[in-house]
Each structure stands twice: as C-alpha cells, then as structure tokens.
Amino acid sequence: LNGVPLTFRGVNRHEHDPVVGRAVSEELMVQDIKLMKRFNINAVRASHYPNHPRWYELCDEYGLYVIDEANLEAHGMQFHANSYGEIADSPEWEAAWLDRGLRMVARDRNHPSILLWSMGNEAGDGKNFQKLYSAMKTDDPTRPVAYEPAGLESHTDVVFPMYKSINFIVDYAKTHRDRPLILCEYAHAMGNSVGNLQDYWDAIDGYAHLQGGFIWDWIDQTILKTTEDGTAYWAYGGDFVHETVEDDSNFCANGLVAADRSLNPHIWEVKKVYQPVKFKLIDREKGEVAIQNRYNFIDLSHLDFSWEIHEDGYLMAHGKVSLPEVAAAEERTTKIKIPEINRKTGSEILLTLRAKTAVESDGVLAGHEVAWDQFILSGALAVASANSETGKVKIHQRDASIMVEGDQFAIEFDRTAGAISSFVYSGESLLQKGLQSYFWRAPTDNDLGNGMQQRLAVWRDAGEEMTVRQVQDEMLNGRAVVTIHMKNEKGGFYTFTVYTISGDGSVAVDHRFNPGESELPELPRFGMMMTLAGDFNQLKWYGRGPHESYWDRKTSAAIGLYEGTVWEQTFSYVRPQETGNKTDVRWMSLTNGSVGLKITGAPTFDGSVHQYPYEDLNHVPHSQRHGALDIRPQDVVTWLVDYRQMGVGGDNSWGARTHPEYTLPAKEYKYSFTLQPFNEGVPLTSIRTQ
C-alpha cells in the first residue's frame, strides 16, 4: 500500500441514502466511485454501502481499494462508567463478536478489491477482539487484519491510529519497524477545513512504514429542506423538533462533497496532494524536469503531458512533453524546449506542467487533468511602489479632517476615526468606509471546536476599538504623506499606517502592528478592511485560485489570472463561517463597470471580497444558522486586504488547533500595498518595479 493515498471510512450504512432521501441505486454508487476517481481517491475504509453486495463488485470493476470493516461499534459505551472496555472482554459477548467479524469474511472474501479486514470501530479492546483476530486469520490467512484500539498490541497487523499528529506518525516511523501505520481517520473535513494535508503527506512520503490515511468523511450527511418560500438549505442537528433527542449540531457536515455530491472547496486540496504523478524542476536553464510515477502497477502511457509558460498570468507559449517510459514507482527526467520570452522588466515567468488522460477510462473522460505543478522560472516577485508623477497633489487642513486633492481625485482622512472617510475618483465615490485595521476571523467549525472565540476574544472588536493617538501630514517629493498612529487601550497594542498619495490618485499604504508590552494571544489575522458600494461587484486577481485558499491549504490553488463576480467568491458552507480567501495575491481589482480600484502587493497579500458585511459570517453562539439562508448578497462589498490570516487547521474539529507554523504570534508585523483607482477601459499604469 505504500504511496497509495487511502481515504474515507464508511459513508452510508443504510439502504436509503439519508442525505438525499432516495434508494441507494447502482447509479448512485457508480456516481460516487467515478467522482472519487476524478479526484485521485483510491480507497475507502469500511464498506461504503454495506447492504449492497453490488458495491463490492463495482469496487472490483473500477479498481477501488477497500478495507472491509465489521459492523462492530460500541462507541456510546464509553459514556458509561466501567463499561467501555468490559464489553469487549465479556464472555457473554464473545459469540456476537465472532459472528459479526466472521460473517463479513465469509460474505466478502472473494472480492479482490478488499485489501485487509478491520475488526470494527471504537468498541474498546479486550479478549473478544483477540479471539476474533485469531479466528479471522484462520478463516482468511491471505489478508492482514487491523483494529484501531489495539494500538501496538499483537492482535493488529497494521497500526491503525485515529487523528494522530504528524509528530506522532513520524516518531512511530523512526522507532517502530515491525508493522506499517495507516491513519484509520485523519484530516477531519468539517466546514472550512483540511489544512496542512500537504504536511501530512510530506511526512508520509518520507517513510516507507507510513502508508496513508482515511479522511473523515466523503459526504456531508445533511438533509435537504426548504423554507416556506421555497428556499433550499442543508439541515443538520437542531433543525428537527424532537424534544427528547440530543443533537450534535452540524457535526454531520464533515464531507469532501456536499450531500448532493456537489464539491466542497477542500476536495481540490485532496486531489492535488493525492495526485499520482509528481513533478520536479531539475534545471531551469536547460528545461530539465523529473516526472515521478506514483502508481503501483501501471506506467504513464495513459496520460498526455504538456507544458505552459505564463508571464504575469498571460499565456506566452505551450507545447507537449516528450516522455520516456516511466514504469510504476519510477522517476525519469526529460527536457522541455522552452522558447525565449521577450519578458517585460520585472515580470514573473511561470512554468506549468500538466498530465491529462489520453483516453476515457472507468468513467473518467479523456482530457481530464490528473496532475499538475508550477514553478517560477524567473523574475523575483515585484515590489509595489508609487507611480511616476502624473499630476500635482495638494493638502487642505480642516478641523476634523485632512483633504488630499489631485486633478482626478479627492481623498479625505477623518482625524477622529484615523481612516480614509472618502475617496472620490473621476467624480465617483470609491469607498463607503476606508481602510481600518482588522484582526478577527469569522470562526470556522475547527475554530469553534478549539475555543478560538474565547481564547482570542481580545481581537474580536479590536479594530473598532482603536483610538487615534496622532495624525500627521506633510508634502514629500511631490507627494502627500499622511501618518496615523493608533492604540487599542484594552489590549495595549499599536498600529502605524503611512499613506503616500501620488498625483494620479494612487495610494501606497504601509501598515505596521506593534504588540506593546501586553501578554497577548496569537492574532486570527492581521490586515485591513474597507467597504465599497454594492455595484463594485466585478473582481479580477492575479494570485492563487480559482477556489479559495489558505495559509495551510493552498497547494491546490494555482497562480494565475482569474475573474468573476464578488458573490461567486463566497462558498455557502452548511453553517456560515470564514470563506473566500485568496493567498499569494500579486494584485486584485474591483470595478463597477465605470471606475475601479486595484490593489497591488509588495510583493503579495492575502485578500477576500464579500457581497455582504463580513461580520455576517460570524457565528452567533447557540444559533441555528445556515449558509444558504443567512448569507445573502447585499448592496455592499467588504474587501479584506491582509498580511495574512491563520490557517484553517484540520487535524480534528473538537480541540485541535492550527499548526503553530500557520499562526500569527503577537509580535511586530508590517506589510505594504498600493491602491490605484482607474477608469474602466483605460489601461492601468504599471506600478510594478523590479
């Protein structure tokens, strides 16, 4: 199994699919298998549809690996004192234990898709499992037998832990050599999750004894409901009135796909991390690349390989890759004849390699992209700077404000608020509310599970609570410079923001955070927020996309040019939470069809746009909220321009925190970007320099 990305414990254990309310048909089972194969998913733990013998036949036919799991779970017994382990030790239960496991073996033993047996799930451990292990090995000596609570005991052939950290599995690989380790569950995919998956696989790829894991879960097990006006939404625990029945809120919404098999954003990360072909750039000048075949049995002759060269996101050249035979588990090098590109000063040149299916196979169409990777060939990321002078700037002092004017623009700073209160360009107002420090992150399900709302509460309204300590203005080299120093008295921290305004209306922003002397927890994010009118709803950006990406979940988001509406950037999670972030953004622009505003990083920033107040995403404690009902487009656009926000995490959703390397400890931070207003249809003057 080494190198095979294993995925998913059982999904549905009933003859009817509870999430869509229809009988489980062969059509539905095939749909699931084909979707898994499209996303490089090779295996399931436990029988996906255990009451359907046809399911195993389909796994045989389509080549989906199965770890077959006995229907033996006593999870609830852990809540009864002195019972959780005893039931697995009790002689009264021995016959039931053996019956459950051996009937599974008898039923399924002739299916080649089944690689090993699992004795059950979360039923404690004891003599009954030891006896079942021996009996199953006697009945079928050809397959390994695994069981998670057995740990390192002798009655499991595979160490099969649940939700263990990267450090744990690496330590195991370094100190134990007798058995492989497979994570029976990991990367809990609840809400906006599946962070640090690439980190898990960097570790797994580094040790032969680490052989993959099973993401929980394949599908959101929510139920479709409609309101009286016909609006459809996914219902979860608490949406059904049964006074005597406890619920676990939206804990059923932890899939890579929604209940109707539409895609949740994090499935793209799974596909990229699990891709069966890997690329390495060996020599940039010679165009030499290495291609690694991660399939276990087949070569790469079923795939077509190609290359593309992009300059600042624009396609400049492309061609096919001539590939030598690459057998299973082998790596070969080849050369790409990259043409000379007459590149612009300071431009960024990217090489993208792609592998696509040459013919249709097992329901995956010809031309389907199986794997890809990107490499920066040349051009250090450019730095934003003020434009060449294109007009004169004047400063007008007022009692409550500072007005900076040019030929086409007027920018007013509110002395009391310490922010831009008005930005007019070509006679049109660009902002309803100017840039303001913002530190909060609408909690994800993982955040709620680890107590982020309480632990980091000091940042909840920190931006609004800032007070102005000093506002200064001056003319410097023909530009207006406004410096604003603010403090949060409650938290004891400071921000310093310098606005440098040029004659064409561009505004270079330098923003800095100082934690002061206070003991502060990590920041959910460090950035700035502004509000535009709702008609600024057309978005373009050059950065990672097209789907949302985060500090610890961006492997799958390719650097490129993208565009769409602001509303399209919101993913309607079952319960509202943080959504829509873009990482490594070089530039991003919004327009209303007449005028627009472009932000260029120095060199990059993280950004997101929302067709509603970002605050709407915040979870209200003890409320029953739904993305499809509570997050609707409004006549306003919120634009977040961040240095960074912390990663989404994903080790589990009931206490695990974002990995430390993807957090923002309370220390000094600074970043820069430039705002540039423009008229639609008029080429923007470049503000990129080498």
Side-chain angles (χ1 to χ4, degrees):
L1 291 181
N2 190 36
V4 178
L6 303 174
T7 316
F8 315 123
R9 191 174 158 267
V11 179
N12 301 316
R13 299 195 177 109
H14 310 285
E15 294 203 9
H16 281 74
D17 185 341
V19 297
V20 292
R22 67 177 186 263
V24 173
S25 63
E26 179 171 330
E27 178 185 2
L28 186 59
M29 291 186 278
V30 170
Q31 178 185 352
D32 275 326
I33 291 178
K34 288 182 178 180
L35 193 55
M36 289 179 185
K37 292 182 76 67
R38 280 177 49 205
F39 283 87
N40 297 327
I41 292 161
N42 300 316
V44 294
R45 170 184 160 218
S47 48
H48 190 59
Y49 298 101
N51 294 325
H52 289 267
R54 181 62 177 147
W55 168 250
Y56 299 94
E57 295 173 0
L58 290 169
C59 290
D60 297 341
E61 178 182 344
Y62 283 91
L64 193 69
Y65 295 137
V66 177
I67 294 183
D68 206 5
E69 187 162 281
N71 187 15
L72 234 172
E73 180 163 349
H75 197 162
M77 295 299 291
Q78 67 179 308
F79 303 110
H80 299 272
N82 302 319
S83 296
Y84 191 43
E86 289 183 6
I87 190 173
D89 259 331
S90 170
E92 296 177 355
W93 285 90
E94 179 183 330
W97 245 245
L98 294 173
D99 182 63
R100 289 285 177 97
L102 294 179
R103 279 199 299 163
M104 175 186 68
V105 173
R107 182 190 67 186
D108 299 335
R109 65 191 306 156
N110 290 327
H111 289 287
S113 58
I114 296 173
L115 297 180
L116 59 88
W117 308 111
S118 168
M119 291 191 288
N121 181 67
E122 294 178 301
D125 195 22
K127 295 177 182 177
N128 291 337
F129 277 110
Q130 297 169 14
K131 292 177 180 179
L132 177 57
Y133 171 83
S134 297
M136 291 173 72
K137 296 291 285 186
T138 298
D139 265 20
D140 179 16
T142 68
R143 291 181 175 95
V145 175
Y147 183 54
E148 179 260 327
L152 298 176
E153 298 296 329
S154 60
H155 57 285
T156 181
D157 299 322
V158 176
V159 177
F160 213 46
M162 182 179 292
Y163 299 110
K164 292 298 186 182
S165 69
I166 295 172
N167 288 339
F168 177 94
I169 64 174
V170 168
D171 182 67
Y172 173 87
K174 289 179 177 179
T175 57
H176 296 82
R177 300 288 182 176
D178 57 333
R179 285 169 289 184
L181 180 148
I182 299 173
L183 289 157
C184 73
E185 292 177 25
Y186 83 127
H188 197 258
M190 183 175 176
N192 191 344
S193 188
V194 195
N196 48 257
L197 185 68
Q198 183 64 63
D199 299 322
Y200 264 101
W201 276 87
D202 287 343
I204 291 167
D205 287 340
Y207 299 91
H209 284 71
L210 303 181
Q211 296 189 359
F214 294 90
I215 293 172
W216 183 281
D217 200 354
W218 169 239
I219 186 170
D220 286 344
Q221 297 186 50
T222 49
I223 295 177
L224 188 66
K225 294 187 72 174
T226 56
T227 61
E228 291 183 359
D229 66 2
T231 303
Y233 66 99
W234 294 116
Y236 57 85
D239 288 326
F240 308 92
V241 182
H242 298 287
E243 293 183 1
T244 61
V245 177
E246 294 184 9
D247 69 79
D248 209 4
S249 190
N250 67 325
F251 211 81
C252 56
N254 46 28
L256 294 185
V257 297
D260 60 357
R261 275 64 172 180
S262 58
L263 306 178
N264 289 334
H266 38 253
I267 195 173
W268 295 103
E269 191 77 358
V270 175
K271 179 187 178 185
K272 181 66 173 66
V273 175
Y274 280 12
Q275 65 185 31
V277 180
K278 298 286 187 181
F279 305 92
K280 288 188 293 186
L281 182 60
I282 304 299
D283 190 311
R284 300 184 185 196
E285 298 299 323
K286 297 179 180 178
E288 187 176 359
V289 298
I291 298 178
Q292 181 186 33
N293 181 356
R294 294 166 58 82
Y295 288 107
N296 285 335
F297 306 110
I298 61 175
D299 62 23
L300 300 181
S301 59
H302 67 294
L303 298 175
D304 289 331
F305 289 81
S306 62
W307 59 269
E308 300 167 0
I309 298 293
H310 288 83
E311 181 182 28
D312 287 343
Y314 292 97
L315 182 65
M316 305 300 291
H318 63 94
K320 293 186 178 297
V321 176
S322 179
L323 191 67
E325 181 178 336
V326 186
E330 284 191 353
E331 180 178 302
R332 300 286 297 275
T333 60
T334 189
K335 289 185 178 180
I336 300 171
K337 294 182 179 179
I338 300 174
E340 288 292 329
I341 302 294
N342 186 20
R343 58 190 293 256
K344 297 178 299 209
T345 301
S347 65
E348 182 178 46
I349 306 296
L350 292 178
L351 167 66
T352 304
L353 299 171
R354 303 187 189 278
K356 297 182 179 181
T357 52
V359 296
E360 181 177 351
S361 176
D362 293 336
V364 178
L365 299 177
H368 169 72
E369 187 169 87
V370 172
W372 65 272
D373 217 330
Q374 266 185 339
F375 306 95
I376 297 177
L377 290 183
S378 59
L381 292 177
V383 176
S385 64
N387 284 325
S388 301
E389 196 61 60
T390 57
K392 293 184 178 180
V393 178
K394 297 179 181 179
I395 297 177
H396 303 283
Q397 300 285 348
R398 298 177 178 178
D399 291 340
S401 66
I402 299 169
M403 179 69 76
V404 179
E405 291 183 328
D407 292 341
Q408 283 189 287
F409 72 92
I411 302 173
E412 187 172 15
F413 291 85
D414 187 312
R415 294 181 183 273
T416 302
I420 295 174
S421 57
S422 174
F423 192 161
V424 176
Y425 180 78
S426 290
E428 292 196 47
S429 176
L430 299 179
L431 302 180
Q432 291 185 351
K433 188 175 183 181
L435 287 164
Q436 183 179 47
S437 295
Y438 197 70
F439 304 94
W440 189 241
R441 200 256 290 286
T444 65
D445 287 325
N446 290 337
D447 291 336
L448 295 174
N450 64 41
M452 172 266 209
Q453 280 187 296
Q454 294 77 34
R455 190 177 70 255
L456 308 185
V458 65
W459 305 112
R460 177 65 179 83
D461 300 308
E464 293 285 349
E465 295 167 346
M466 303 292 290
T467 56
V468 175
R469 292 173 62 89
Q470 188 177 43
V471 178
Q472 294 178 313
D473 64 88
E474 61 178 328
M475 291 297 300
L476 186 64
N477 298 324
R479 299 179 176 90
V481 180
V482 177
T483 303
I484 300 174
H485 177 198
M486 304 186 75
K487 183 179 182 181
N488 184 293
E489 298 292 345
K490 183 189 298 185
F493 51 86
Y494 305 85
T495 62
F496 303 85
T497 311
V498 179
Y499 299 88
T500 303
I501 302 103
S502 298
D504 63 348
S506 62
V507 182
V509 182
D510 298 288
H511 190 48
R512 183 160 60 93
F513 168 81
N514 186 309
E517 301 298 323
S518 302
E519 290 291 329
L520 295 166
E522 71 267 23
L523 287 67
R525 76 173 352 120
F526 172 50
M528 303 187 83
M529 177 191 287
M530 57 184 167
T531 305
L532 292 76
D535 61 348
F536 283 87
N537 56 15
Q538 298 300 312
L539 171 71
K540 293 182 180 179
W541 79 96
Y542 176 42
R544 293 193 181 273
H547 50 273
E548 64 183 27
S549 59
Y550 291 86
W551 194 0
D552 58 356
R553 199 186 81 214
K554 62 181 183 179
T555 300
S556 61
I559 298 168
L561 278 173
Y562 304 99
E563 61 182 293
T565 67
V566 171
W567 175 244
E568 288 170 342
Q569 310 315 308
T570 288
F571 181 78
S572 183
Y573 285 101
V574 171
R575 184 165 66 183
Q577 56 196 280
E578 158 64 35
T579 180
N581 190 63
K582 322 293 184 192
T583 56
D584 299 329
V585 177
R586 280 70 167 154
W587 61 261
M588 180 180 282
S589 69
L590 287 175
T591 177
N592 63 4
S594 175
V595 297
L597 188 62
K598 178 181 180 181
I599 297 180
T600 302
T604 64
F605 62 95
D606 285 7
S608 62
V609 290
H610 308 267
Q611 193 76 56
Y612 45 84
Y614 180 77
E615 294 290 318
D616 286 3
L617 294 171
N618 277 297
H619 176 69
V620 179
H622 312 298
S623 65
Q624 201 72 18
R625 303 188 75 216
H626 304 82
L629 299 181
D630 297 301
I631 306 300
R632 299 290 188 90
Q634 300 178 40
D635 190 23
V636 67
V637 170
T638 308
W639 197 348
L640 284 156
V641 186
D642 297 330
Y643 165 74
R644 198 165 284 150
Q645 67 166 283
M646 64 183 185
V648 295
D651 288 2
N652 67 53
S653 301
W654 49 91
R657 288 163 61 172
T658 301
H659 288 198
E661 61 268 34
Y662 302 116
T663 59
L664 296 165
K667 63 179 184 179
E668 285 199 23
Y669 294 103
K670 60 181 179 179
Y671 74 120
S672 302
F673 55 91
T674 297
L675 306 175
Q676 185 178 13
F678 62 91
N679 289 301
E680 187 70 18
V682 178
L684 282 169
T685 302
S686 174
I687 55 173
R688 284 193 169 276
T689 62
Q690 265 185 309

